[in-house]
């Protein structure tokens, strides 16, 4: 059985979703099934990770059709680490959903769709075929659209329309790119493409196709100038859903970008230049956007965009050190962004509003919670020794040694502006005197919560903060993992050998 | 809709169409057809019946809520995909075939069960959509 472990992360969530559909009428049972499913997901992800770590890249040929004729599922260190993190975020979200989701939402199959989304994410991470990647992206988009609209408040529909239009457009662009790749090479297997593409004479065409892919993934990951759907939609659904989206959805775009631009179209000078400029502007506009917002979930949405720039920038430098930095930043960002949106959800319950103006006095009233909330915020800024600091070491070093001063300045700018924004949030929510205002009547404030409800809101944050702290104080583990990922990504023959079942003499 | 002709004929057409949909489903491995088309035909049979005799009559025939067909179909399809991993240790979705021919059905294998799963999912989704819309109008 263990030789098929690669496929298990998908199957676990598929079976969980089916069980959830079967217990459609019984929202109470659904909560437990979902939590158990996520825990099993973490265990399976961990097993797969240890297998990949000891035995090298794993692959499964679906339907026993040998590559390049069938679809290959490939689990390399990059993919499995992301799967483990995805499942951790999924556990946190399924715990908070037990209370954050009113039962009318559960009745419309919230949990089942949620697990379909996690299944889509796992599939996108481990697929080794371009068209299959597109299909997993569709699974992700359709599930996320349902999650955005479920509940059906007007503001949600408005956000969902923007979200869906732009994402469908990017899917069409992505599909066009796939068609062109197939027309030029006659194959969609990523490993095979990595061998065919460099031998094509018409490199100008290859270059154009690679940019089409960049636009397709760029919309999904929210880079400048294609990001505007993100802050328009991410603050609309309940905190649990936004946390999931913030942590994972944009990162899938970045994952696909890193995968495609290391394996299939290794970056040339012009592409590096384009990515670098895009990364710089993404940082700039994301940061400026966050600075002027007055709603806490919107601020966090713009911060997502701002920090996407770190990953795109790391990729654009295209050295092993820079890729290590980008990948490490991605791991840190997944956890911290999910935590921030969960914190936003708790603040909404405490103050009855998400506007900064209505907040204040968190430090006096909830000192322990404030301490808990402070950790991810400072981690986001990158205060040593918290998790944001470590990837920046690699990124700054890479951009400095490469002599890319523009990018270095933008990185520093991003860190500073994040500091300013976090200071602003700190001022208005933690230390400012609370604003005296009427309490909303039909609204359940945090102070009136029962113990179980409080636990459902706080436990996921504790789990995620725990992961952040682990990352902070045992950063060398993530450094080692990321260095190995950097090696695997930059030397594509390991991937190729795993897909085509060629025995390797030297293991990583 | 109260039309005597439609009323009468829909009662006859329902079993015929369902039978035809099963035929299309079984034919699908080598010839045009399969679970998706078969499922659509079966759904049309029930929708036609609902148009002629009203929703409640159709629900009486179906007995269960069509939404329940979705997870059942998914479960059948998933199990047929997992089966080769458990039985022969081959990768997911490898076709398993019973060696002997079976009268009428021909060869059967895990692909047939996968298609049957698709069939149920399509019937379930189509009927759920149509029933929900006609209930809310």
């Amino acid at each position: 059985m263990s030789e098929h472990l690669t496929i298990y992360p998908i199957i676990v969530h598929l079976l969980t979703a089916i069980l959830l559909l079967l217990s459609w009428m019984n929202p109470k049972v659904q909560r437990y099934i979902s939590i158990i499913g996520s825990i099993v997901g973490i265990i399976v992800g961990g097993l797969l990770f240890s297998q990949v770590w000891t035995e090298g890249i794993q692959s499964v040929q679906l339907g026993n059709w040998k590559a390049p004729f069938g679809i290959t599922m490939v689990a390399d260190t990059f993919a499995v680490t992301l799967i483990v993190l995805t499942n951790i975020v999924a556990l946190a979200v399924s715990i908070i959903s037990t209370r954050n989701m009113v039962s009318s939402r559960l009745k419309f199959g919230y949990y089942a769709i949620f697990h379909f989304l996690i299944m889509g994410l796992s599939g996108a991470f481990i697929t080794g075929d371009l068209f299959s990647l597109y299909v997993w992206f569709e699974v992700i988009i359709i599930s996320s659209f349902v999650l955005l609209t479920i509940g059906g408040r007007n503001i949600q529909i408005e956000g969902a329309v923007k979200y869906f239009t732009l994402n469908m457009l990017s899917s069409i662009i992505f599909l066009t790119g796939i068609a062109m790749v197939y027309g030029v090479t006659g194959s969609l297997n990523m490993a095979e493409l990595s061998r065919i593409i460099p031998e094509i004479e018409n490199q100008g065409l290859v270059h154009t196709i690679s940019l089409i892919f960049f636009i397709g993934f760029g919309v999904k990951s929210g880079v400048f100038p294609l990001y505007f759907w993100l802050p328009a939609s991410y603050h609309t659904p309940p905190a649990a859903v936004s946390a999931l989206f913030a942590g994972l959805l944009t990162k899938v775009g970045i994952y696909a970008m890193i995968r495609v631009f290391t394996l299939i179209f290794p970056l040339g000078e012009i592409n590096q230049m384009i990515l670098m400029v895009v990364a710089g502007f993404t940082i700039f506009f994301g940061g400026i956007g966050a600075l002027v917002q007055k709603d806490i979930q919107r601020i966090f949405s713009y911060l997502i965009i701002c920090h996407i720039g770190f990953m795109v920038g790391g990729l654009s430098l295209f050295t092993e050190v820079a890729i290590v930095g980008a990948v490490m930043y991605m791991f840190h960002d997944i956890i911290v962004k999910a935590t921030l949106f969960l914190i936003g959800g708790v603040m909404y319950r405490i103050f009855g509003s998400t506007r900064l103006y209505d907040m204040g006095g968190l430090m006096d009233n909830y000192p322990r919670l404030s301490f808990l909330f402070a950790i991810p915020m400072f981690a986001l800024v990158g205060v040593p020794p918290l998790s944001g600091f470590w990837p920046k070491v690699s990124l700054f070093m890479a951009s400095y040694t490469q002599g890319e001063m523009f990018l270095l300045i933008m990185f520093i700018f991003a860190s500073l502006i994040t500091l300013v924004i976090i200071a602003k949030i700190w001022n208005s929510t933690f230390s400012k005197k609370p604003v005296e205002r009427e309490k909303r009547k039909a609204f359940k404030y945090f102070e009136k919560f029962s113990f179980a409800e409080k636990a459902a809101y706080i436990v996921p944050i504790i789990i995620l903060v725990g992961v952040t702290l682990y990352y902070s104080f045992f950063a060398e583990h993530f450094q080692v993992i990321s260095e190995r990922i950097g090696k695997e990504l930059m030397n594509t023959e390991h991937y190729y050998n795993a897909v085509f079942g060629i025995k390797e003499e030297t293991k990583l | 809709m109260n039309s005597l002709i439609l009323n009468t004929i829909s009662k006859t057409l329902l079993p015929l169409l369902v039978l035809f949909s099963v035929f299309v489903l079984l034919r699908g491995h080598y010839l045009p057809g399969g679970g998706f088309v078969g499922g659509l035909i079966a759904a049309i049979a029930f929708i036609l019946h609902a148009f002629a005799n009203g929703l409640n009559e159709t629900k009486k025939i179906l007995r269960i809520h069509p939404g329940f067909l979705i997870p059942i179909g998914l479960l059948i399809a998933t199990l047929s995909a997992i089966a080769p991993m458990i039985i022969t240790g081959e990768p997911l979705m490898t076709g398993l075939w019973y060696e002997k021919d079976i009268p009428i059905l021909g060869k059967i294998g895990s692909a047939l069960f996968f298609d049957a799963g698709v069939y149920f999912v399509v019937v379930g989704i189509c009927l759920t959509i149509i029933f929900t819309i006609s209930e809310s109008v």
Side-chain angles (χ1 to χ4, degrees):
Chain A
M1 292 296 273
S2 67
E3 71 263 38
H4 305 313
L5 202 58
T6 310
I7 204 80
Y8 279 25
I10 300 177
I11 292 179
V12 167
H13 286 286
L14 179 58
L15 286 177
T16 315
I18 291 172
L19 279 179
L20 288 165
L21 284 175
L22 281 172
S23 53
W24 183 272
M25 289 300 178
N26 204 336
K28 262 191 191 149
V29 180
Q30 286 189 16
R31 293 173 175 150
Y32 297 112
I33 296 176
S34 168
I35 291 174
I36 292 168
S38 304
I39 291 173
V40 174
I42 294 179
I43 295 168
V44 168
L47 287 174
L48 181 58
F49 181 84
S50 71
Q51 196 180 31
V52 170
W53 190 253
T54 50
E55 293 169 27
I57 304 176
Q58 302 287 311
S59 67
V60 164
Q61 318 284 349
L62 288 191
N64 223 353
W65 297 98
K66 293 275 171 284
F69 303 107
I71 289 173
T72 317
M73 291 290 182
V74 194
D76 64 349
T77 320
F78 191 21
V80 271
T81 317
L82 284 172
I83 283 178
V84 173
L85 290 177
T86 304
N87 278 298
I88 291 173
V89 174
L91 175 65
V93 172
S94 56
I95 292 175
I96 197 173
S97 303
T98 56
R99 299 292 168 179
N100 188 230
M101 286 292 148
V102 288
S103 54
S104 66
R105 286 201 172 105
L106 294 184
K107 255 185 216 150
F108 287 105
Y110 164 78
Y111 269 125
I113 299 291
F114 164 70
H115 281 278
F116 277 124
L117 177 64
I118 303 293
M119 178 189 86
L121 289 165
S122 314
F125 290 143
I126 62 175
T127 185
D129 181 279
L130 264 185
F131 192 79
S132 166
L133 180 66
Y134 167 79
V135 174
W136 289 119
F137 267 47
E138 288 301 290
V139 173
I140 294 169
I141 293 184
I142 291 171
S143 332
S144 59
F145 188 54
V146 177
L147 288 185
L148 260 182
T149 47
I150 222 166
R153 291 181 300 139
N154 281 346
I155 181 175
Q156 275 184 305
I157 306 290
E158 189 200 334
V161 167
K162 289 169 191 161
Y163 175 84
F164 195 63
T165 328
L166 259 291
N167 274 288
M168 273 325 253
L169 194 67
S170 93
S171 286
I172 293 168
I173 296 170
F174 179 25
L175 195 58
T176 317
I178 290 175
M180 291 171 88
V181 167
Y182 192 70
V184 174
T185 63
S187 171
L188 287 176
N189 186 302
M190 293 197 210
E192 204 194 10
L193 284 176
S194 73
R195 296 298 157 95
I196 300 177
I197 292 279
E199 287 164 12
I200 288 170
E201 280 177 24
N202 192 348
Q203 282 296 323
L205 183 62
V206 172
H207 191 94
T208 317
I209 297 173
S210 73
L211 283 179
I212 287 178
F213 275 96
F214 177 66
I215 296 170
F217 297 141
V219 175
K220 281 187 208 299
S221 47
V223 297
F224 172 84
L226 309 162
Y227 62 77
F228 43 89
W229 58 272
L230 196 153
S233 62
Y234 269 27
H235 65 286
T236 56
V241 177
S242 337
L244 188 69
F245 285 13
L248 297 167
L249 287 198
T250 48
K251 309 305 180 295
V252 185
I254 294 289
Y255 166 81
M257 217 184 265
I258 292 180
R259 176 67 80 209
V260 164
F261 285 128
T262 53
L263 187 62
I264 302 174
F265 308 103
L267 286 176
E269 278 214 349
I270 307 168
N271 274 7
Q272 263 181 297
M273 198 66 211
I274 294 171
L275 253 70
M276 207 172 286
V277 172
V278 164
F281 279 114
T282 309
I283 289 173
F284 183 76
F285 285 99
I288 297 291
L291 203 56
V292 296
Q293 292 299 323
K294 294 188 170 55
D295 182 299
I296 195 158
Q297 299 287 56
R298 271 178 177 259
I299 294 177
F300 291 152
S301 303
Y302 272 99
L303 280 180
I304 295 176
I305 298 165
C306 177
H307 295 143
I308 286 292
F310 276 105
M311 293 164 241
V312 180
L315 175 63
S316 76
L317 290 167
F318 210 60
T319 59
E320 212 172 291
V321 182
I323 297 265
V324 169
V327 167
M328 257 184 106
Y329 198 90
M330 195 165 160
F331 298 154
H332 143 81
D333 207 53
I334 287 177
I335 299 294
V336 169
K337 287 284 156 46
T339 326
L340 285 182
F341 274 85
L342 292 183
I343 288 173
V346 176
M347 285 185 178
Y348 176 60
R349 284 290 149 185
I350 291 176
F351 301 111
S353 159
T354 51
R355 284 184 305 164
L356 285 182
Y357 173 76
D358 297 327
M359 300 182 173
L362 199 65
M363 190 95 108
D364 296 333
N365 297 330
Y366 301 93
R368 275 175 297 177
L369 273 189
S370 312
F371 182 67
L372 188 67
F373 293 174
I375 295 168
M377 289 194 175
F378 285 113
L380 190 71
V381 180
V383 179
L386 289 170
S387 61
F389 172 67
W390 303 108
K392 282 180 189 164
V393 175
S394 301
L395 286 172
F396 283 28
M397 200 165 74
S399 52
Y400 182 73
T401 47
Q402 293 261 87
E404 300 294 351
M405 285 307 146
F406 168 67
L407 209 54
L408 184 62
I409 290 167
M410 284 334 267
F411 283 163
I412 294 170
F413 171 79
S415 307
L416 284 179
I417 204 154
T418 313
L419 179 64
V420 172
I421 290 158
I422 294 298
K424 191 176 135 189
I425 294 177
W426 188 265
N427 265 339
S428 48
T429 56
F430 291 88
S431 48
K432 186 181 74 180
K433 279 228 169 80
V435 186
E436 286 301 323
R437 58 199 297 275
E438 264 180 61
K439 295 254 170 184
R440 284 161 64 181
K441 271 183 189 133
F443 185 81
K444 202 164 183 191
Y445 281 92
F446 190 75
E447 57 204 26
K448 288 177 196 150
F449 273 7
S450 67
F451 180 74
E453 281 171 308
K454 276 184 183 164
Y457 271 79
I458 301 302
V459 167
I461 298 179
I462 292 175
I463 293 173
L464 292 179
V465 167
V467 178
T468 309
L469 286 178
Y470 174 74
Y471 188 119
S472 311
F473 292 106
F474 296 92
E476 78 265 23
H477 295 181
F478 282 84
Q479 185 74 31
V480 172
I481 293 170
S482 308
E483 273 167 17
R484 178 159 153 175
I485 290 169
K487 279 203 193 81
E488 280 180 2
L489 289 176
M490 299 303 275
N491 308 314
T492 52
E493 77 262 27
H494 297 296
Y495 194 91
Y496 185 85
N497 291 346
V499 171
F500 286 91
I502 302 166
K503 275 243 162 8
E504 289 191 320
E505 281 155 22
T506 52
K507 276 202 173 133
L508 277 170
Chain B
M1 211 184 300
N2 271 330
S3 148
L4 185 64
I5 300 173
L6 191 63
N7 258 340
T8 321
I9 207 155
S10 72
K11 277 172 193 158
T12 329
L13 271 180
L14 178 68
L16 279 179
L17 276 173
V18 171
L19 199 65
F20 181 60
S21 75
V22 175
F23 164 71
V24 171
L25 163 73
L26 293 175
R27 177 176 195 267
H29 197 68
Y30 292 114
L31 297 164
F36 189 83
V37 189
L40 282 181
I41 294 171
I44 287 170
F46 286 106
I47 292 165
L48 187 68
H49 189 268
F51 275 166
N53 303 306
L55 214 53
N56 292 331
E57 291 292 311
T58 321
K59 278 186 177 165
K60 268 181 208 158
I61 295 175
L62 270 174
R63 287 171 199 225
I64 55 164
H65 191 275
F68 272 107
L69 290 174
I70 302 170
I72 290 170
L74 271 176
L75 197 62
I76 295 171
T78 313
L79 288 180
S80 80
I82 299 175
M85 297 198 331
I86 298 164
I87 297 169
T88 58
E90 283 170 305
L92 188 84
M93 287 183 180
T94 311
L96 295 177
W97 293 94
Y98 185 65
E99 283 157 21
K100 288 174 191 151
D101 269 0
I102 289 172
I104 304 169
L105 289 177
K107 274 196 179 296
I108 59 169
S110 57
L112 178 66
F113 290 96
F114 192 87
D115 244 8
V118 175
Y119 178 92
F120 283 119
V121 173
V122 172
V123 174
I125 288 179
C126 289
L127 290 186
T128 311
I129 292 172
I130 298 284
F131 282 13
T132 323
I133 291 173
S134 40
E135 266 168 5
S136 60
V137 169

